[in-house]
């Protein structure tokens, strides 16, 4: 029915220091997501009443939905954007009865989920746990394929509400999680309605957006771009493909020909970041490698990008196919 709480996300993906990505920009959002910590407050009182506040050292960003009104407020520049959701948008018909095969209880849902991942995943439990002062039970998911860089994923589930309270992802052989998202505090009491009644602070710059017009413009731009785009050949990798299955899958994509890294200053910056990565080569060709504790990424000189929760050798293997 409702909840409120504080969520903390931390990440340390074991990436090398790269100026512009992982070094020298401690306040950059990307840097914090992959090497730092983020804190958010959340409030929920139904599908049309929700609020998220991302707390940072330099300010706070809030997104508030209250019925058909949606606000985004940034304290850093005291700006607020107001959106109005059209009547009936996003609503779905409520089925009178669940179709055959749809889980009717949390236990049935859990059984179905575990059965679906069983071929590639070993599932165990550590028993009881405590998260944000609440009793929970912890499931441990581990790849059966030893080639994966992921050691295990731990899910702490609230014993009473069955809401996930904590998710931790460990690299193989690591004692500390590479990624951790957890409630630091949580209450399942429905928040007061005042939490969703936003009033712009004095002096705030307020803009009114029209999502309908923006959607129409985006649709027109997409149709125009598709009309100009050349027909794609079956072997074209501009659409990502996947090599392998399960935890050792490798995503393979190809940058657009002649525009691999953009234009102007942006292109030069992107190319500089690529060149800062270690140079690698093999029977598959040559390129640059980004290697972390949980994943590896290969950017080949002929424009391919390969990424997966696997060792570099797996990427080289996929690049040669």
């Amino acid at each position: 029915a409702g909840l409120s709480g504080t969520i903390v996300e931390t990440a340390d993906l074991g990436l090398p220091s790269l100026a512009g990505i992982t070094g020298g920009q401690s306040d950059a959002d990307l840097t914090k997501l992959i090497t730092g910590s983020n804190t958010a407050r959340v409030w929920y009182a139904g599908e049309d009443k929700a609020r998220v506040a991302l707390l940072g050292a330099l300010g706070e960003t809030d997104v508030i939905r209250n019925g058909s009104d949606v606000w985004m407020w940034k304290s850093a520049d005291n700006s607020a954007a107001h959106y109005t959701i059209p009547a009936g948008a996003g609503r779905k018909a409520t089925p009178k009865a669940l179709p055959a095969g749809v889980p009717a209880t949390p236990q049935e849902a859990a059984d179905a989920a575990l059965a679906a991942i069983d071929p590639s995943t070993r599932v165990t439990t550590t028993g009881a746990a405590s998260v944000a002062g609440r009793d929970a039970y912890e499931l441990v998911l581990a790849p059966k394929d030893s080639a994966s860089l992921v050691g295990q994923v731990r899910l702490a589930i609230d014993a009473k509400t069955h809401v996930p309270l904590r998710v931790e992802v460990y690299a193989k052989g690591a004692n500390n999680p590479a990624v951790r998202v957890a409630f630091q505090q949580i209450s399942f009491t429905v928040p007061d309605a005042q939490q969703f009644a936003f009033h712009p602070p004095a002096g705030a710059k307020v803009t009114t957006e029209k999502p309908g017009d923006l959607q129409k413009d985006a649709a027109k731009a997409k149709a125009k771009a598709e009309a100009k785009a050349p027909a794609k050949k079956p072997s074209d990798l501009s659409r990502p493909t996947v090599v392998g299955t399960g935890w050792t899958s490798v995503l393979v994509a190809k940058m657009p020909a002649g525009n691999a890294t953009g234009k102007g200053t942006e292109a030069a910056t992107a190319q500089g970041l690529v060149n800062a990565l270690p140079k690698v080569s093999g029977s598959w060709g040559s390129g640059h490698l980004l290697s972390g504790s949980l994943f590896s990424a290969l950017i080949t000189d002929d424009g391919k990008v390969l990424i997966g929760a696997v060792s570099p050798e797996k990427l080289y293997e996929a690049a040669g196919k």
Side-chain angles (χ1 to χ4, degrees):
L3 64 80
S4 61
T6 302
I7 299 174
V8 176
E9 176 265 349
T10 57
D12 183 1
L13 302 183
L15 297 176
S17 178
L18 294 173
I21 295 184
T22 61
Q25 296 185 14
S26 59
D27 292 323
D29 291 343
L30 176 60
T31 299
K32 291 183 64 180
L33 284 174
I34 61 178
T35 63
S37 176
N38 292 281
T39 300
R41 292 291 311 279
V42 297
W43 298 263
Y44 176 81
E47 293 184 357
D48 63 349
K49 288 185 183 292
R51 177 175 182 173
V52 177
L54 182 62
L55 311 178
L58 301 179
E60 174 180 330
T61 298
D62 286 48
V63 179
I64 306 107
R65 177 177 181 182
N66 190 5
S68 61
D69 291 316
V70 177
W71 286 90
M72 176 179 286
W73 177 67
K74 298 180 180 180
S75 68
D77 58 2
N78 196 16
S79 65
H82 180 226
Y83 303 82
T84 300
I85 300 177
R91 292 183 180 176
K92 295 181 180 180
T94 303
K96 295 181 179 179
L98 290 173
V102 175
T105 67
Q107 184 60 55
E108 288 183 14
D111 290 344
L114 296 179
I117 62 177
D118 180 66
S120 64
T121 308
R122 182 172 60 255
V123 182
T124 57
T125 179
T126 62
S130 178
V131 181
R134 294 186 63 87
D135 292 335
Y137 59 89
E138 191 170 56
L139 292 177
V140 181
L141 312 181
K144 290 182 178 179
D145 191 335
S146 60
S148 173
L149 292 180
V150 178
Q152 58 182 223
V153 178
R154 292 174 174 253
L155 310 174
I157 312 298
D158 188 90
K160 185 176 181 180
T161 67
H162 307 292
V163 171
L165 299 178
R166 182 178 66 207
V167 178
E168 295 177 321
V169 183
Y170 290 79
K172 187 188 300 183
N175 294 321
N176 297 315
V179 178
R180 185 178 191 269
V181 182
F183 276 100
Q184 193 174 60
Q185 175 274 327
I186 189 169
S187 168
F188 288 98
T189 301
V190 178
D192 187 273
Q194 287 300 313
Q195 288 290 355
F196 312 102
F198 179 75
H199 302 286
K205 179 183 178 182
V206 179
T207 58
T208 300
E209 307 290 349
K210 297 180 179 180
D213 292 343
L214 293 175
Q215 291 171 357
K216 291 178 182 178
D217 291 343
K220 290 180 181 179
K222 181 180 179 182
K224 186 176 180 179
E226 290 177 344
K228 291 183 177 180
K232 294 179 179 178
K233 299 178 181 180
S235 60
D236 190 358
L237 288 175
S238 58
R239 288 187 177 182
T241 59
V242 177
V243 176
T245 59
W247 296 81
T248 55
S249 299
V250 174
L251 183 69
V252 184
K254 187 174 180 63
M255 297 181 184
N259 190 28
T261 55
K263 298 179 180 180
T265 303
E266 181 181 348
T269 300
Q271 190 59 51
L273 292 174
V274 172
N275 292 339
L277 298 173
K279 182 76 174 178
V280 291
S281 62
S283 59
W284 49 270
S286 61
H288 292 81
L289 177 71
L290 176 63
S291 182
S293 58
L294 273 185
F295 74 95
S296 300
L298 175 65
I299 304 171
T300 66
D301 291 340
D302 62 358
K304 287 183 183 178
V305 179
L306 301 93
I307 185 170
V310 296
S311 65
E313 287 70 27
K314 277 285 185 180
L315 298 185
Y316 304 153
E317 181 182 324
K321 293 184 177 180

